[in-house]
Amino acid sequence: MKKILTLLLCAVLLPLLAGCDGSDDVAEIFTGKTWKLTYIALEGQHQWVDFWDGNEAAQQRSMKELEKSATFTVTFQGSKAEGVAGGEFEAQAINGRTTGYWSADGGSRELSTTNIRTTGSDTDALARAFTAGLRNARRYSGDSQNLYIYYEDGQTTKCMAFHIH
């Protein structure tokens, strides 16, 4: 009897498991929410990159700006077709607003941004890094609660960590 139940359970679950393709639901991850920057680190680390070259006063100014509700945010809008989502995005650093188009592949986790336009300007080191990260995005990881955008910066790969705002 136990063997029959096990076989029956396997027969019921097998079609469900076969339907899994290992691809992210990119529309669920990116769209319908505003993401707030948490930190920027080197890939594989969780410590802030020192964009301020040891200048603690400049770093503290950046952190005060980061604490503000309306700064260092990004919103992705778009739709999904066959594992790929894309559309427009809008980001706010401190004084600079960046817009453009994005596309993410749920299978490869590749992320690209194109046709980027920035209005306003930021002299803040963190704001410049935030904008550069969006311009140079190459891939992502995460889920509907946490998003990580990886970007190339010279010889290094940096990771921007976001949470839902």
Side-chain angles (χ1 to χ4, degrees), residues 37 39-42 47-49 51 126 129-130 151 158-160:
L37 181 69
Y39 63 85
I40 302 176
L42 291 175
Q47 296 176 304
W48 275 100
V49 172
F51 297 109
L126 180 57
F130 175 73
Y151 70 97
K158 293 189 172 75
C159 174
M160 295 193 296

Side-chain angles (χ1 to χ4, degrees), residues 16-26 29 80 83 105-109 140 142:
L16 295 174
L17 294 174
C20 296
D21 65 1
S23 183
D24 287 344
D25 184 345
V26 280
I29 293 171
K80 177 183 171 186
D105 184 307
S108 66
R109 293 185 175 92
Y140 77 92

Side-chain angles (χ1 to χ4, degrees), residues 22-26 29-30 83 103-112 138-142 148 150:
S23 183
D24 287 344
D25 184 345
V26 280
I29 293 171
F30 283 89
S103 176
D105 184 307
S108 66
R109 293 185 175 92
E110 290 178 1
L111 172 66
S112 65
R138 297 292 177 257
R139 61 189 164 87
Y140 77 92
S141 65
Y148 303 92
Y150 299 88

